Amino acid sequence: MTITPTTSPELSRRTFIQGSSAAVAGAALSGALAGMTVPRVHAASLDKGPGMKIGVIGCGNICGIYFETLVQFPETEVVGCADIDAAKAQSAAEKFGVEAKSVDELLTDREIGLILNLTVPKAHFDVSLAVLEAGKHVYVEKPLAVRFEDGQRL
């Protein structure tokens, strides 16, 4: 079988990466939720229904695709975001209708079960370790850590 590359105005590198990121996030969240018994809820009652509450650490360029994708999963609800730059966190919070918090507030919030670590790669290890030590699930894009030893430790 020969696969011939095509060019299409509908499929650019950017849209491919965005779509792939959304698919990976959805697959990861499905895996995180697989062990839970979560009744399906109508999207309109999401804020009142059961499910996984999510916090986002890192409000840079990639966070928007996660916010936009997660609303498609009625058993999830992004409830807060944080960034080393408080203005970025506040901007994302206003744009996506969540609360801007500090990292410590996200980690100590008992309702949040999953943290999306969307920080820069050199911060992946420290943030992921803090999330795990707080007793929460963590999703992080590659690389898991910059140093092999740190990846093994996680």
Side-chain angles (χ1 to χ4, degrees):
M1 172 181 221
T2 303
I3 299 175
T4 307
T6 62
T7 57
S8 167
E10 295 86 29
L11 183 62
S12 66
R13 182 175 183 267
R14 180 184 189 104
T15 57
F16 174 78
I17 290 171
Q18 287 176 334
S20 298
S21 296
V24 168
L29 289 172
S30 295
L33 296 172
M36 297 178 58
T37 304
V38 180
R40 298 280 177 177
V41 294
H42 188 272
S45 63
L46 181 62
D47 60 332
K48 299 179 180 95
M52 171 108 27
K53 296 197 186 285
I54 299 171
V56 174
I57 298 177
C59 298
N61 295 332
I62 196 68
C63 79
I65 193 69
Y66 285 93
F67 280 104
E68 292 165 4
T69 301
L70 288 169
V71 297
Q72 299 174 36
F73 297 90
E75 58 275 307
T76 66
E77 178 186 8
V78 179
V79 296
C81 63
D83 194 282
I84 195 166
D85 179 346
K88 282 186 179 180
Q90 187 61 44
S91 176
E94 290 171 5
K95 182 174 182 178
F96 298 106
V98 300
E99 186 178 350
K101 297 183 175 200
S102 70
V103 171
D104 287 337
E105 288 173 320
L106 289 178
L107 296 178
T108 57
D109 187 328
R110 296 181 66 154
E111 291 191 351
I112 294 175
L114 172 69
I115 299 288
L116 297 183
N117 179 357
L118 304 179
T119 59
V120 296
K122 69 180 183 179
H124 283 181
F125 171 74
D126 292 329
V127 172
S128 294
L129 182 61
V131 172
L132 293 170
E133 288 177 342
K136 298 183 183 309
H137 298 283
V138 64
Y139 169 85
V140 60
E141 291 187 340
K142 66 181 181 176
L144 178 62
V146 175
R147 295 175 355 111
F148 178 79
E149 297 80 16
D150 291 339
Q152 282 185 311
R153 185 171 171 205
L154 288 176

